Amino acid sequence: MTLCLCAWLAAACGDSPGTGSPEEPFDVVLTGGRVVDGTGAAWFHGDVGIRGDRIARVTPAGVLAEAPTRTRMDVSGHVVAPGFIDIQSHSRTPLLTGDGRLVSKVTQGITTEIMGEGWTNAPANELTLQGSGDIASEEDLELARTFVGQGGFDRWLTTMVGRGSSANVGSYVGASTLRVYGMGMSMGVPAPAELDSMAKALTWAMEDGAFGMASALIYPPGNFAGTEELIHLARTMAPLGGHYITHMRSEADRLLEATEEAIRIGEEGGVPVEIYHLKAAGTRNHSKGSQVIELIQAARDRGLDVQANMYPYTAGGTGLSACLPPWASEGGQLYEQLEEADFRERVRAELVSTEAREWEDLCGLSTPEGVMVLGLELEEHRPWVGLRLSEIAREMEMEWPDAVMELLRRERQRIGTIYFMMSEENVALKMQQPWMKFGTDAGGVDPETATGLAHPRGYGTYPRILGRYVREGGVLELEDAIRKMTSAVATRLSLEGRGLVKEGMYADLVVFHPDSIMDRATFEEPHQLSQGVAHVFVNGEAVIRNGNHTGALPGRALRGPGYRGRDPR
């Protein structure tokens, strides 16, 4: 009885677990800000006290004006919100080989990076080491070998945060990684032993803290996987609380069919479904934007947990190699096979064919005029960086299919490319859906060391939504936008203690000016930090102060509900 009474008194006095005693000074007090707590509730003027790594007090404005604190910050005129959770990050490389500051991300207000689309560095075996594009040196190979076998996914997460990260880090397990783990880069239906190997690797990853399985079904070898294979793997992770997140098999001509496949995988696999960067790609498919929303809503109406996320741009970014049919990459020998005239002729015939395709024809959907080529590395190709494929083809005195193959043959790498395919009307429509969330589909970049062009979403996704679509366009309310950036993602991932401005939660916070927040990065000049984010805290430590990176690396590894370790946070 005494212990219960003490616990009740502590709660009544506002002393939440892990926040210290009421008499203990705060480490930071933010006063006078407009608190948007992440629930979707209306903002209020309030004070927020941070003690250690937690939010210790959230009060009406003025209550903490005289409270003892080591640092007091007047944030009047600013919004205080939960830190943004990027459900589609690609920061694997900067976290494993860079300085971990993730400058372009944390200056947007991002405090958590969730990775995994298609590929992850673990679980690893000899087949994944051979098929990985992440290994460029003996040093990379040596590091990759530490992620081999059971526990490899946990070691990968631990390694990233152990090197230092300004943001928290978590991940799904890549479905392409699982497939290569079981059967290499081969096409076809896996044999029972191969499927068992994939399921075993998936179970290991889930027990190491993966949030679920993430597929990328337009890229080889991800698009080698059949529906039944993915259903089997979904059933494997269902008891561990995972969900299926997917870059669907089509976002264009077969968008509705691909959405039905994703829904079927979730329904028969017994897991929730999340769709990456929902879009209707290609002018001829823009009318499907409303249709796919209706399809998802109909699934939800009959009790299926289907949701989606998006980025606020009308162009996507991936490799120029994605213009080629999937069979061209079988065996992982694309660049070698492009040396053969007969192979190039087969590819060319499919690219110019007017027959319906089962694969996503990105160059055809965008047209050569809508394809901006960025990632050229050879010196003789540098003058073409940022040009449209149609322009490069003229420079090369080739038709565009031949120019694509020749660039890939010479460069021997995927060649980062921008594809202009979507409509602004659909962007706004998607944002307004209650089950929508936001993600960048990008990795962290440092503008001081970045070279070449890149997709501006890596610098501007969240400020663009808050500036262009909330403040200027009125497409959605501030509180709803913040909810879709924070608690909606935390709920989806079963992240305890994050995504809300609430006492006892981890102190992942962003402070921004609602009248000035805006993206500055463009397709032509992408390496420009966004404006308007004043302060960012990760686990109670300032990562951004007065708009500048502090150098702090307080990020932690976050894990899903199937984690078998001691501390899932």
Side-chain angles (χ1 to χ4, degrees):
M1 177 65 73
T2 304
L3 287 176
C4 292
L5 180 60
C6 290
W8 181 88
L9 287 171
C13 293
D15 185 20
S16 301
T19 61
S21 67
E23 297 80 15
E24 187 179 341
F26 295 103
D27 293 307
V28 178
V29 169
L30 307 173
T31 61
R34 213 186 289 178
V35 177
V36 180
D37 66 7
T39 65
W43 65 264
F44 62 93
H45 288 297
D47 297 344
V48 178
I50 300 171
R51 190 179 286 127
D53 62 358
R54 304 274 185 152
I55 298 170
R57 294 294 305 278
V58 180
T59 73
V63 172
L64 299 184
E66 303 299 326
T69 183
R70 296 177 177 87
T71 301
R72 185 177 305 280
M73 304 172 71
D74 182 356
V75 294
S76 300
H78 291 74
V79 167
V80 180
F84 306 145
I85 305 172
D86 185 356
I87 197 170
Q88 192 181 12
S89 167
H90 294 290
S91 289
R92 292 187 295 142
T93 298
L95 287 169
L96 283 177
T97 63
D99 63 14
R101 294 189 305 147
L102 305 175
V103 177
S104 69
K105 305 301 280 297
V106 293
T107 51
Q108 296 186 52
I110 294 168
T111 58
T112 296
E113 296 270 81
I114 304 297
M115 296 168 287
E117 183 196 355
W119 285 99
T120 43
N121 297 72
N125 64 4
E126 287 303 318
L127 291 173
T128 66
L129 297 181
Q130 293 168 18
S132 174
D134 300 315
I135 298 172
S137 66
E138 283 298 320
E139 184 179 1
D140 292 340
L141 180 59
E142 184 178 351
L143 176 61
R145 288 193 180 280
T146 66
F147 309 138
V148 168
Q150 189 170 10
F153 195 90
D154 178 70
R155 290 191 292 275
W156 171 50
L157 293 176
T158 302
T159 297
M160 286 189 287
V161 297
R163 295 185 76 256
S165 172
S166 289
N168 301 309
V169 175
S171 186
Y172 296 89
V173 59
S176 295
T177 299
L178 296 175
R179 184 175 173 91
V180 174
Y181 189 100
M183 58 187 300
M185 292 291 289
S186 299
M187 295 183 73
V189 177
E194 293 171 330
L195 192 57
D196 286 347
S197 183
M198 295 180 208
K200 177 182 69 175
L202 172 57
T203 299
W204 286 349
M206 293 298 299
E207 293 177 347
D208 282 348
F211 294 103
M213 179 177 67
S215 68
L217 299 182
I218 73 164
Y219 309 117
N223 52 10
F224 298 165
T227 307
E228 297 298 333
E229 173 185 326
L230 295 168
I231 290 172
H232 179 86
L233 294 175
R235 288 174 179 153
T236 297
M237 69 176 172
L240 295 168
H243 66 269
Y244 175 64
I245 187 167
T246 179
H247 180 154
M248 295 189 297
R249 210 174 293 275
S250 174
E251 298 173 323
D253 293 344
R254 297 181 61 81
L255 170 62
L256 302 181
E257 293 88 341
T259 305
E260 289 171 345
E261 180 194 33
I263 293 170
R264 180 189 165 201
I265 291 167
E267 184 171 18
E268 296 187 22
V271 296
V273 174
E274 180 79 17
I275 298 172
Y276 277 130
H277 46 55
L278 184 68
K279 63 173 75 78
T283 303
R284 63 178 180 260
N285 295 305
H286 287 173
S287 63
K288 295 177 182 175
S290 58
Q291 294 175 330
V292 74
I293 288 171
E294 291 170 2
L295 183 58
I296 292 170
Q297 190 58 54
R300 292 184 58 78
D301 289 344
R302 62 188 179 94
L304 299 178
D305 185 356
V306 184
Q307 301 182 34
N309 55 76
M310 63 175 289
Y311 49 73
Y313 295 87
T314 57
T318 186
L320 186 63
S321 56
C323 282
L324 304 188
W327 57 258
S329 296
E330 183 179 11
Q333 301 296 310
L334 171 63
Y335 308 120
E336 291 80 3
Q337 292 185 102
L338 284 172
E339 299 288 345
E340 303 172 8
D342 289 347
F343 179 82
R344 292 198 303 275
E345 189 54 39
R346 283 180 60 209
V347 172
R348 189 184 198 286
E350 187 153 350
L351 292 181
V352 300
S353 172
T354 58
E355 295 182 4
R357 295 174 170 79
E358 292 294 324
W359 56 281
E360 202 84 322
D361 176 18
L362 295 187
C363 279
L365 288 163
S366 304
T367 75
E369 292 74 25
V371 177
M372 178 186 286
V373 182
L374 306 181
L376 299 171
E377 296 178 356
L378 295 180
E379 191 62 36
E380 60 266 32
H381 295 162
R382 291 294 174 84
W384 299 339
V385 170
L387 296 185
R388 302 303 173 108
L389 177 59
S390 55
E391 297 172 310
I392 295 174
R394 282 195 294 271
E395 292 285 333
M396 298 177 74
E397 297 182 343
M398 296 179 177
E399 294 187 5
W400 73 261
D402 304 302
V404 168
M405 289 186 286
E406 186 62 13
L407 287 172
L408 291 168
R409 185 189 72 81
R410 294 181 191 175
E411 292 268 341
R412 299 183 74 82
Q413 51 103 2
R414 63 194 292 269
I415 307 178
T417 301
I418 301 294
Y419 297 91
F420 292 87
M421 297 184 292
M422 288 83 80
S423 74
E424 275 292 349
E425 292 78 8
N426 279 338
V427 169
L429 178 63
K430 290 182 298 177
M431 279 187 184
Q432 295 170 333
Q433 304 311 308
W435 36 260
M436 186 60 67
K437 294 168 289 300
F438 301 119
T440 67
D441 196 8
V445 186
D446 185 344
E448 294 185 2
T449 58
T451 58
L453 296 181
H455 198 299
R457 64 195 178 197
Y459 286 88
T461 291
Y462 294 89
R464 182 180 182 86
I465 294 168
L466 295 169
R468 297 183 190 275
Y469 292 93
V470 173
R471 184 179 67 245
E472 294 183 351
V475 173
L476 67 171
E477 296 295 326
L478 174 65
E479 292 86 349
D480 190 39
I482 296 296
R483 180 187 66 81
K484 290 171 177 174
M485 297 172 176
T486 59
S487 69
V489 188
T491 300
R492 195 57 161 162
L493 300 173
S494 300
L495 282 179
E496 296 181 11
R498 301 187 192 271
L500 295 172
V501 181
K502 180 181 178 182
E503 293 179 9
M505 304 291 278
Y506 287 92
D508 295 345
L509 298 167
V510 56
V511 179
F512 65 88
H513 200 294
D515 295 333
S516 65
I517 191 165
M518 184 63 76
D519 63 312
R520 297 173 61 243
T522 65
F523 289 102
E524 293 74 22
E525 297 184 41
H527 299 296
Q528 302 184 79
L529 297 177
S530 293
Q531 65 185 36
V533 174
H535 314 290
V536 176
F537 296 87
V538 176
N539 297 310
E541 191 167 344
V543 170
I544 300 295
R545 185 182 295 120
N546 297 319
N548 298 310
H549 203 298
T550 65
L553 303 169
R556 298 176 184 174
L558 306 183
R559 296 178 171 87
Y563 181 52
R564 295 296 172 87
R566 293 184 178 179
D567 182 4
R569 296 183 296 277

